[in-house]
Amino acid sequence: MSQDDSVRMKTAIRIENFNLYYDQFRALSDVNLEICERRVTAVIGPSGCGKSTLLRAINRMNDLIEKVRVEGQIFVDEAPVYGDHVDLVALRRKVGMVFQRPNPFPLSIFENVAFGLRLHFHSSPAERMERVQKSLEEVGLWEELRDRLGGFALNLSGEQQQRLCIARAIAVRPDIILMDEPCSALDPVATQRIEELIRFLKKDYTIVIVTHNMSQAARVSDETAYFYLGKLIEMGATQKIFTAPSKKETEDYITGKFG
Amino acid sequence: MKSSRAYLNRIFEFVIEKAIFLAGILSIVFVFLIFLFLIKEGFSLFRTYSIFSFLFGTKWYPISSPPQFGIVPLLLGSVAVTLGAILIAVPLGIGSAIYIAEIAPRWLREILKATVEFLAAIPSIVLGFIGLVTLAPLVKKLFHLPTGLTALSGSIMLAFMAMPTIVSMMEDAFTAVPKSYREGALALGATRWEMIRRVLLPASASGMLAAIMLGIGRVIGETMAVLMITGNAARIPTGLTQPVRTMTATIAAEMGEAVQGGNHYFALFAIGIVLFIITFLINVTASFLVRSQRK
Ligand SMILES: Nc1ncnc2c1ncn2[C@@H]1O[C@H](COP(=O)(O)OP(=O)(O)OP(=O)(O)O)[C@@H](O)[C@H]1O
Ligand SMILES: [Mg+2]
């Protein structure tokens, strides 16, 4: 228990007084929270409350959108994410992302997993192969795909594609993986297996997962953050949030009275 | 009463259906007739002149006696001018398409797209005329040539004509690449250029090829500008800085003087067949590539 507590102490992501505006619209208001290392943190809340925005703020994917403005700061591993001298490439190498719709590149299975390796490491073909194999093993795809690594990634099933995208993200050994509703395009069986994978991956990675599915949040996460209208309403141990939330709004949302 | 109404309706249906069918079939018939005419006139040459000497002859002397109708210098003239145009237009076209689709800020993108369309709207004869008085003297001076009317001048001219097709089609191909691919690459820590090189270009490869093919198709059939600017020497070219004559320019230049029903006249049609086959193959390849891109 004490060991568990010490692990819990370590902060992977710290968000401080964070505001994000799309032009005039304030999508995140004064968000303060800490995300612990090697834990699964679920971000929940009604549609449009800013979950994706928060996630994309951490690896600065919002930079791609015009007229986005931020205030406050986010720290990944105690290093600031916003500022003139931030190395975006290094940040995104450290913070991987898995998207709502599986988005493998229209390349071979191998090239998909090797994509980040080619960007960030000058490894030999043998080393690359080893890394690809290891990543595919971790996501449980190696056995089924080992004989067709040259096959076209877009011919895989939806679940396989999403696993491949997770393999692609972990191939560069990030510290953090951000997942934006990773199961919403999958059927229940595939969803269940991806959830298993997420629980398995947390021994090596800090995972932040956005989900609309309450029971999924309850099943996979250690911590849960509830957002409403761009504000963090409540954050705490998942078990506590789901059994004894301290805020009335949280309780209403979780019990389905609203949302 | 009711049944006769239904009967009339049926007749009406029938007539409309047949009329539409006829309209459709008619365009096919016309194309077929044109093609038949081309074949008939072109092949008449080979009654008295060997097809071998036509295809592989290196001399085009239509009015000497005996006349020689070797298409090689004209074919090579077309190839030289077209290849030159491609070498210029393709890198430039890829560059500007990438810039327009991926890099330019939105306001500039709209201006650039409009400019490209504007370039496409300039009639080729006007471009040829401008080229004749500005480009040819420049080429002459730059390369210290006796004349500026060379394959190179033609290539540059044609590159300008192929650019709008190439740029706008490639830009479409780039824009058709889903945002999710871009985001996936950037989220993995790719820079914008790495994203373009490793995801965007492979994902739109067949669309790019189709754009290039259609650009070539546009260029190889071009006549008037080429006639004006390439110097019209039916000699086998050994370099781009020599005057050449293309197949199209030959037909345009000699159609007036060729006696109808004579061998010279038939030979020009035979050139037409060759041109037709080349253009046809290019277009088929391009549309095949476009279709495979959509899948
Ligand atoms: N590119 C954008 N430009 C302007 N407003 C945006 C943009 N993206 C999101 N928003 C707005 O910001 C708010 C938060 O959006 P966000 O996508 O983060 O919500 P979400 O919680 O992820 O919703 P969902 O559960 O539907 O995915 C919404 O009101 C949305 O309309
Ligand atoms: Mg969202």
Side-chain angles (χ1 to χ4, degrees):
Chain A
M1 198 62 213
S2 66
Q3 199 196 352
D4 192 50
D5 273 342
S6 73
V7 170
R8 192 177 187 160
M9 291 306 293
K10 267 193 149 178
T11 301
I13 303 169
R14 189 151 47 87
I15 300 177
E16 279 185 4
N17 305 325
F18 195 76
N19 291 283
L20 189 143
Y21 302 83
Y22 292 113
D23 203 2
Q24 301 298 318
F25 176 73
R26 190 179 190 179
L28 291 174
S29 312
D30 257 327
V31 176
N32 282 284
L33 64 81
E34 291 193 4
I35 288 168
C36 301
E37 198 177 70
R38 289 177 199 210
R39 310 215 116 211
V40 177
T41 303
V43 179
I44 61 171
S47 199
C49 70
K51 306 182 294 294
S52 300
T53 302
L54 180 80
L55 213 59
R56 294 165 59 92
I58 297 170
N59 64 347
R60 285 189 51 179
M61 289 302 280
N62 289 324
D63 287 17
L64 303 177
I65 300 165
E66 276 173 61
K67 296 193 180 164
V68 166
R69 195 158 51 79
V70 301
E71 292 161 358
Q73 186 57 280
I74 296 179
F75 297 89
V76 166
D77 228 3
E78 297 307 326
V81 164
Y82 289 88
D84 292 337
H85 303 292
V86 174
D87 180 356
L88 271 189
V89 170
L91 171 69
R92 289 173 181 163
R93 202 203 73 93
K94 224 167 171 176
V95 184
M97 187 166 223
V98 175
F99 295 81
Q100 183 166 357
R101 303 211 142 267
N103 61 344
F105 302 126
L107 305 169
S108 70
I109 292 163
F110 181 89
E111 283 305 325
N112 263 280
V113 185
F115 194 90
L117 301 176
R118 289 191 194 282
L119 295 176
H120 302 298
F121 304 97
H122 297 285
S123 41
S124 70
E127 288 168 329
R128 207 177 295 134
M129 183 64 223
E130 197 185 307
R131 264 288 184 47
V132 168
Q133 174 173 353
K134 206 137 174 263
S135 308
L136 286 173
E137 277 169 357
E138 270 188 84
V139 300
L141 275 182
W142 177 249
E143 284 309 318
E144 27 186 323
L145 297 184
R146 58 185 303 170
D147 296 324
R148 49 184 180 119
L149 294 179
F152 197 51
L154 301 185
N155 292 338
L156 298 175
S157 74
E159 183 199 345
Q160 286 174 323
Q161 289 192 12
Q162 196 60 301
R163 281 177 189 267
L164 185 69
C165 290
I166 297 173
R168 181 175 76 182
I170 64 178
V172 296
R173 298 286 172 258
D175 298 333
I176 299 164
I177 307 173
L178 309 173
M179 299 182 168
D180 195 348
E181 304 186 43
C183 301
S184 68
L186 304 178
D187 67 42
V189 178
T191 298
Q192 197 192 335
R193 288 203 293 248
I194 297 282
E195 284 175 12
E196 267 166 41
L197 173 61
I198 292 170
R199 280 194 297 266
F200 167 75
L201 288 175
K202 85 170 177 190
K203 70 179 171 50
D204 293 319
Y205 306 97
T206 305
I207 294 172
V208 187
I209 178 172
V210 167
T211 176
H212 262 128
N213 181 332
M214 287 305 110
S215 47
Q216 178 170 72
R219 281 193 301 266
V220 301
S221 71
D222 306 299
E223 313 262 341
T224 295
Y226 171 62
F227 276 80
Y228 180 60
L229 293 180
K231 290 199 177 73
L232 175 66
I233 304 298
E234 184 172 359
M235 179 168 182
T238 298
Q239 207 187 3
K240 179 172 174 297
I241 296 278
F242 277 83
T243 52
S246 48
K247 295 263 171 59
K248 175 96 174 43
E249 295 110 297
T250 317
E251 185 177 346
D252 285 350
Y253 181 69
I254 283 165
T255 54
K257 275 188 208 143
F258 140 84
Chain B
M1 183 63 204
K2 206 176 166 198
S3 74
S4 79
R5 175 85 164 273
Y7 182 67
L8 271 178
N9 263 345
R10 268 228 314 278
I11 291 187
F12 188 66
E13 270 306 288
F14 179 83
V15 170
I16 289 286
E17 203 177 285
K18 290 300 170 220
I20 291 173
F21 173 75
L22 205 69
I25 215 78
L26 217 57
S27 60
I28 298 175
V29 168
F30 280 137
V31 169
F32 189 71
L33 282 180
I34 291 172
F35 184 64
L36 217 63
F37 183 75
L38 187 62
I39 294 280
K40 179 180 148 292
E41 300 289 276
F43 271 82
S44 299
L45 176 67
F46 307 130
R47 284 200 304 248
T48 53
Y49 194 82
S50 103
I51 189 165
F52 187 84
S53 331
F54 172 72
L55 286 178
F56 301 104
T58 56
K59 295 200 169 91
W60 179 264
Y61 296 146
I63 44 180
S64 68
S65 59
Q68 296 195 47
F69 301 110
I71 198 183
V72 171
L74 312 180
L75 197 63
L76 289 181
S78 283
V79 168
V81 173
T82 308
L83 265 186
I86 294 165
L87 285 180
I88 298 166
V90 167
L92 273 178
I94 294 179
S96 19
I98 289 179
Y99 184 75
I100 293 175
E102 297 298 319
I103 296 167
R106 187 176 306 171
W107 62 272
L108 186 56
R109 178 179 318 162
E110 294 312 317
I111 294 177
L112 286 172
K113 280 171 80 168
T115 314
V116 169
E117 258 152 53
F118 181 73
L119 189 58
I122 302 175
S124 65
I125 189 80
V126 175
L127 264 185
F129 191 40
I130 295 173
L132 183 67
V133 294
T134 59
L135 184 63
L138 190 72
V139 167
K140 176 178 166 171
K141 208 164 124 201
L142 236 52
F143 294 89
H144 306 291
L145 301 171
T147 168
L149 301 177
T150 60
L152 181 65
S153 318
S155 293
I156 297 173
M157 206 68 256
L158 288 185
F160 267 103
M161 293 180 195
M163 282 278 279
T165 311
I166 293 180
V167 172
S168 65
M169 273 201 61
M170 275 194 194
E171 202 242 335
D172 286 349
F174 293 151
T175 327
V177 173
K179 194 169 123 213
S180 65
Y181 293 169
R182 299 157 205 266
E183 290 201 327
L186 295 173
L188 276 171
T191 60
R192 183 155 59 177
W193 169 238
E194 284 167 332
M195 182 275 286
I196 290 171
R197 189 164 71 87
R198 292 178 185 275
V199 176
L200 194 74
L201 295 185
S204 50
S206 56
M208 286 169 68
L209 259 177
I212 293 170
M213 298 301 273
L214 284 183
I216 297 174
R218 168 91 176 74
V219 156
I220 207 162
E222 176 51 43
T223 308
M224 292 319 289
V226 174
L227 179 65
M228 290 164 83
I229 208 173
T230 54
N232 275 313
R235 282 199 314 249
I236 293 184
T238 53
L240 277 183
T241 51
Q242 292 174 356
V244 294
R245 182 194 276 178
T246 65
M247 295 187 287
T248 50
T250 305
I251 297 177
E254 297 177 6
M255 212 44 166
E257 65 198 48
V259 182
Q260 196 168 354
N263 259 359
H264 188 189
Y265 169 87
F266 291 141
L268 294 181
F269 272 101
I271 294 177
I273 296 175
V274 174
L275 206 52
F276 173 84
I277 291 171
I278 294 173
T279 317
F280 179 76
L281 288 180
I282 289 171
N283 282 341
V284 166
T285 318
S287 67
F288 175 78
L289 289 171
V290 169
R291 228 174 313 137
S292 71
Q293 159 104 351
R294 276 205 204 104
K295 267 201 245 132

